[in-house]
Amino acid sequence: MSEKIMRIIDLRGQKLSRAELLAAMPRAAMGTSEATDLVRPILDDVKERGAAALRDFEEKFDHVRPKNLRVPAEAIKDALTTLDPEVRAAIEESVRRARAVAKNQVPKDFHTDLAPGARVAERWIPIQRVGLYVPGGKAVYPSSVIMNAVPAQAAGVESLAIATPPARDNAEGLPNKTILATCAILGVDEVYAVGGAQAIAMFAYGAKGSEPQDGDVLCDPVDKITGPGNIFVATAKSLVSAFVGIDAVAGPTEIGIIADKDANPSLLAADLIGQAEHDELAGSVLFTDSPELADKVQENLNYRVPKTEHAERVHTSLSGTQSAIVLTDGLDQSIDAANAYAAEHLEIQTKDADAVVKRIKNAGAIFRGPYSPVPLGDYMSGSNHVLPTGGTARFAAGLGVHTFMKPVEVIEYDEEGLKELAARINAFAVSEDLPAHGECVLSRFVEDPYNKETLREQEKEAGLL
């Protein structure tokens, strides 16, 4: 009998409440609390000692002591000149498509005229300085450079800094050359060979220099930190989020797939494996009302998993509690379950994919049809692959131009516009026991707003009533 790599969650014949449906969804046992005791001293040390602490932590965790924590400009340029031409072409195409989408994402300023002399406008203002974290670990992620930097540039961010760990095979402590080359293509020249929680501390607090090549200030603090990372990076972002912006506290990556009996089980298996390759904690979840399809997917997994390079990692991920095949009574229940799961990536492989897409309320990104697999979005679709995980797509959105901008309202009332509302504002303020609020407004039109005995008459004389 063939092994069934993925466990089955059978929802058939059950009428589940919203709470029960949410609880039934597979999740990775992942949190940041267990790492807090390890991360907090790192943050404190970097805040206190700056570059000296950064070098100590790089030596401890990445096993190299970088001479230059800030990557020299020449090293960034050299990385581009030695980049494989095919890889360069792929990166440039990814950048081109991402920029085309990001250009159209830039929100427009607007105003609303409420009455003569009464206007509320809204401006979208770029965040001034942003720190972009690019992880190392099990893979190299030049794609993360693109996904973070392109929307930030489209938003008009003035100052971009990138931190990424030193490459394991670089004796000088420089980051991976493909990542550096991608920075060169994007025109980002402030790059640091710093990884992990220490990089988040550097961005949050800034870092003073400790050696001549650092200067007095190695890195200025940023206003917002974006980019994925491991549990230590996620914990660090959570701890500094009280005073510096973050995009999200990201958990393990995940895919959800809604499929019916007409879907191709071989492609479904390939897509589940593709996501499982990221991490042993990665989640791969299939929602289907076809037990026959589920069995065929399991058969294809048995065939495909041993053949992929990272078979052990994939098998651990697919057989973990965070992954499952969810059997449902029909497409309606599959959609309900997928909305409860709120996948980071949600593929729709059904007969009428457009109708299903319209009913999806919760997903980081939706991949419609068998020719829109998740790796397309990872690299070259033009969409962004930094997406909400762990069910947070129920209330959060993926990274985009909006991540790097803030809407600010501009209130533009003239004398006529304010006069029409002055008495009403005062009545409102008094009802909240904040009379000075009303007096502030009335002072522009009446002689003595503090004389409550004559205030009514003053308001009439001023034409406020």
Side-chain angles (χ1 to χ4, degrees), residues 8-327:
I8 300 294
I9 297 176
D10 195 343
L11 301 183
R12 292 174 297 176
Q14 300 183 58
K15 296 287 186 180
L16 299 176
S17 68
R18 176 174 169 79
E20 289 170 335
L21 191 56
L22 289 170
M25 294 301 101
R27 297 287 180 205
M30 181 76 174
T32 59
S33 58
E34 62 270 29
T36 298
D37 291 342
L38 296 173
V39 168
R40 198 182 297 279
I42 296 174
L43 301 181
D44 292 341
D45 198 14
V46 172
K47 184 178 182 181
E48 177 66 26
R49 297 196 297 125
L54 292 172
R55 284 188 172 88
D56 288 346
F57 287 125
E58 285 310 313
E59 187 170 20
K60 179 178 180 179
F61 297 125
D62 292 318
H63 312 298
V64 63
R65 191 174 184 87
K67 176 183 177 183
N68 294 295
L69 288 167
R70 177 163 177 172
V71 178
E74 284 304 312
I76 298 174
K77 292 177 184 177
D78 290 347
L80 184 57
T81 61
T82 59
L83 184 64
D84 182 295
E86 290 188 9
V87 176
R88 178 170 181 167
I91 291 172
E92 288 175 340
E93 181 64 14
S94 177
V95 169
R96 186 187 72 79
R97 290 173 182 256
R99 280 185 169 151
V101 173
K103 181 181 178 181
N104 285 328
Q105 281 187 340
V106 178
K108 305 294 189 294
D109 294 352
F110 69 88
H111 68 265
T112 304
D113 290 320
L114 298 155
R119 170 178 287 185
V120 174
E122 184 169 273
R123 292 181 57 212
W124 282 85
I125 302 174
I127 292 170
Q128 277 189 280
R129 178 163 165 77
V130 173
L132 312 177
Y133 185 74
V134 179
K138 294 183 174 68
V140 175
Y141 295 103
S143 56
S144 286
V145 182
I146 298 168
M147 299 299 167
N148 282 271
V150 166
Q153 290 173 331
V157 172
E158 295 176 13
S159 177
L160 284 179
I162 289 177
T164 189
R168 295 175 181 176
D169 59 354
N170 191 294
E172 298 176 40
L174 294 175
N176 174 271
K177 287 188 176 182
T178 307
I179 289 177
L180 293 182
T182 306
C183 292
I185 290 169
L186 291 165
V188 179
D189 60 8
E190 186 180 352
V191 184
Y192 297 90
V194 181
Q198 59 269 28
I200 304 305
M202 177 186 72
F203 281 151
Y205 306 123
K208 60 187 178 183
S210 65
E211 296 185 11
Q213 64 269 29
D214 300 336
D216 292 335
V217 176
L218 172 72
C219 179
D220 284 319
V222 304
D223 302 310
K224 191 166 190 176
I225 302 169
T226 69
N230 63 19
I231 187 171
F232 301 105
V233 170
T235 301
K237 288 170 71 175
S238 178
L239 290 174
V240 302
S241 64
F243 60 92
V244 65
I246 64 170
D247 52 350
V249 178
T253 190
E254 63 205 18
I255 184 176
I257 306 175
I258 299 177
D260 59 18
K261 63 181 178 61
D262 296 319
N264 185 324
S266 181
L267 295 182
L268 297 177
D271 293 356
L272 293 167
I273 290 169
Q275 205 63 24
E277 181 179 40
H278 276 282
D279 189 283
E280 288 85 355
L281 290 174
S284 296
V285 182
L286 171 65
F287 303 94
T288 184
D289 59 352
S290 171
E292 294 77 19
L293 179 73
D295 288 340
K296 290 177 182 177
V297 169
Q298 296 273 29
E299 291 172 8
N300 275 275
L301 290 174
N302 287 332
Y303 171 76
R304 286 176 172 270
V305 170
K307 292 180 175 294
T308 194
E309 182 174 347
H310 302 295
E312 185 176 350
R313 184 192 310 163
V314 168
H315 191 284
T316 300
S317 170
L318 293 177
S319 60
T321 58
Q322 75 275 14
S323 299
I325 295 176
V326 179
L327 291 178

